[in-house]
């Protein structure tokens, strides 16, 4: 029988230790989490259906009953339905994110009407958890630009991550936001994470972020319908400072900022294509 010499035993032990150490290092490399882009706390949905139970004295009971009335509906002939739906699609298909906005003034009534339209959006338990702040003052717009550009430079350099920044290169966008000065109107859309009843008690705003996001979609469609342009922006990490600048309460969180106006004469947009119907719709 072959007998192991002390030297051979030592060599075998060293090899076993080396194998196990390399296996551990390999596992450590596999388990390292991939760095994910930084997320703005203001953009997280803070709806908490259980928060009322924490202190019921602070929260308002919901209305037990609301009167129901007959629904008034306009039904169109089938051909008119097809025509209207096609025309509406063609109108919205021309909508683009425009970063070159003229300083030409926009009628106040038009801005009032598009925000009224946004306010028709459905919301959780009809809480209407939105605030639309319209900024026209040049000094305030410039302060907004200073805050956003300061934070956006950090976002591009540190928070967003290489992949996100790389994906934006084709759009030729960066942290310089000239349109915040040139656009005649800025609309800042805040979500109200809760509301207040007349007696001062808090009211739960269910699905506040989803509700406000739907309102933003209607607002974009209304702006397109009125012949105005915008670009949808979500200024990361700017919410708290902008909230203070605009005098908004702490229960309002910035969701979207829209610079609004007419396109400048030199405006360009990326030559992007939208997905075909069979890529976005499944019929069962």
């Amino acid at each position: 029988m072959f007998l192991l010499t002390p030297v051979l035993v030592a060599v075998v032990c060293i090899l076993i230790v080396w194998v196990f150490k390399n296996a551990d290092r390999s596992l450590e490399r596999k388990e390292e989490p991939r760095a994910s882009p930084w997320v703005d706390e203001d953009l997280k949905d803070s709806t908490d259906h259980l928060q009322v139970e924490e202190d019921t004295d602070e929260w308002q009971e919901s209305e037990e009953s609301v009167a129901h009335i007959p629904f008034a509906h306009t039904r169109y002939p089938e051909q008119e339905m097809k025509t209207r739906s096609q025309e509406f699609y063609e109108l919205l298909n021309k909508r683009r994110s425009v970063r070159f906005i003229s300083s030409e003034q926009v009628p106040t009534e038009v801005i009032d009407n598009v925000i009224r339209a946004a306010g028709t959006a459905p919301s959780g338990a009809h809480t209407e958890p939105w605030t639309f702040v319209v900024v026209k003052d040049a000094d305030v717009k410039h302060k907004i630009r200073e805050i956003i550009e300061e934070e956006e430079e950090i976002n591009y350099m540190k928070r967003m991550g290489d992949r996100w920044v790389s994906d934006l290169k084709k759009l030729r966008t960066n942290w310089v936001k000239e349109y915040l000065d040139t656009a005649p109107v800025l609309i800042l859309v805040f979500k109200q994470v809760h509301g207040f009843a007349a007696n001062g008690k808090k009211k739960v705003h269910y699905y506040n972020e989803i509700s406000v996001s739907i309102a933003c979609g209607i607002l974009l469609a209304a702006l397109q319908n009125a012949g105005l342009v915008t670009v949808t922006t979500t200024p990361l990490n700017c919410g708290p400072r902008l909230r203070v600048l605009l005098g908004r309460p702490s229960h309002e969180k910035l969701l979207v900022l829209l610079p609004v106006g007419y396109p400048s004469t030199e405006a360009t947009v990326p030559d992007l294509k939208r997905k075909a119907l069979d890529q976005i719709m499944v019929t069962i």
Side-chain angles (χ1 to χ4, degrees):
M1 182 179 289
F2 177 73
L3 297 176
L4 294 175
T5 65
V7 173
L8 188 57
V9 169
V11 171
V12 170
C13 289
I14 291 171
L15 284 172
I16 292 172
V17 170
W18 180 84
V19 168
F20 275 103
K21 280 188 174 181
N22 277 277
D24 287 343
R25 288 195 192 106
S26 176
L27 285 172
E28 285 174 6
R29 282 195 295 270
K30 288 179 181 177
E31 291 172 358
E32 282 181 3
R34 276 180 70 180
S36 56
W38 180 87
V39 177
D40 189 342
E41 290 296 323
D42 269 12
L43 296 181
K44 292 182 179 179
D45 191 341
S46 54
T47 298
D48 185 353
H49 295 169
L50 301 179
Q51 59 187 335
V52 183
E53 298 178 6
E54 296 176 2
D55 190 347
T56 54
D57 291 338
E58 290 186 7
W59 295 87
Q60 174 67 31
E61 295 292 333
S62 62
E63 296 174 301
E64 292 185 0
S65 64
V66 174
H68 284 221
I69 59 176
F71 174 59
H73 173 65
T74 301
R75 179 165 178 167
Y76 303 106
E78 185 173 324
Q79 187 54 49
E80 186 176 353
M81 290 171 62
K82 293 178 181 178
T83 301
R84 289 170 66 94
S85 62
Q86 179 66 26
E87 289 176 349
F88 189 67
Y89 159 68
E90 291 173 357
L91 172 68
L92 292 190
N93 195 38
K94 294 176 183 176
R95 187 205 59 77
R96 298 300 306 271
S97 294
V98 178
R99 294 172 172 82
F100 304 94
I101 301 176
S102 165
S103 60
E104 182 181 352
Q105 293 301 304
V106 173
T108 298
E109 186 178 357
V110 173
I111 299 301
D112 292 348
N113 286 336
V114 296
I115 291 180
R116 283 193 183 101
T120 68
S123 59
H126 192 61
T127 51
E128 301 175 296
W130 40 68
T131 301
F132 301 91
V133 179
V134 177
V135 179
K136 298 180 180 180
D137 183 272
D139 291 337
V140 178
K141 287 193 298 177
H142 189 67
K143 288 177 183 177
I144 290 173
R145 179 182 178 180
E146 289 179 331
I147 291 172
I148 289 177
E149 288 187 343
E150 179 185 332
E151 292 293 342
E152 281 285 80
E153 184 173 6
I154 300 172
N155 293 336
Y156 272 82
M157 301 302 293
K158 296 180 180 179
R159 298 182 181 124
M160 290 164 58
D162 293 339
R163 177 174 294 179
W164 191 350
V165 173
S166 177
D167 286 344
L168 289 174
K169 283 182 179 178
K170 63 179 178 290
L171 304 179
R172 300 179 188 175
T173 181
N174 54 39
W175 60 81
V176 179
K177 313 293 184 185
E178 185 179 351
Y179 51 73
L180 295 173
D181 269 327
T182 59
V185 175
L186 303 181
I187 302 177
L188 292 89
V189 186
F190 288 82
K191 64 177 183 180
Q192 303 167 6
V193 296
H194 64 77
F196 289 97
N199 60 8
K201 287 189 175 183
K202 295 178 181 178
K203 290 175 60 179
V204 182
H205 280 176
Y206 304 97
Y207 302 109
N208 54 76
E209 182 157 335
I210 295 174
S211 301
V212 179
S213 297
I214 295 171
C216 288
I218 294 175
L219 178 56
L220 291 174
L223 289 169
Q224 177 69 9
N225 182 63
L228 298 173
V229 299
T230 187
V231 55
T232 307
T233 70
T234 52
L236 295 180
N237 207 42
C238 300
R241 293 170 67 186
L242 294 177
R243 187 164 61 240
V244 171
L245 174 66
L246 300 173
R248 303 312 306 158
S250 60
H251 69 283
E252 293 187 2
K253 310 294 184 183
L254 180 64
L255 188 66
V256 168
L257 186 156
L258 301 175
V260 174
Y262 302 103
S264 63
T265 54
E266 72 277 8
T268 61
V269 294
D271 186 16
L272 304 176
K273 307 299 180 186
R274 292 189 166 98
K275 291 181 178 180
L277 183 63
D278 59 4
Q279 294 178 289
I280 64 173
M281 183 179 77
V282 176
T283 302
I284 298 175

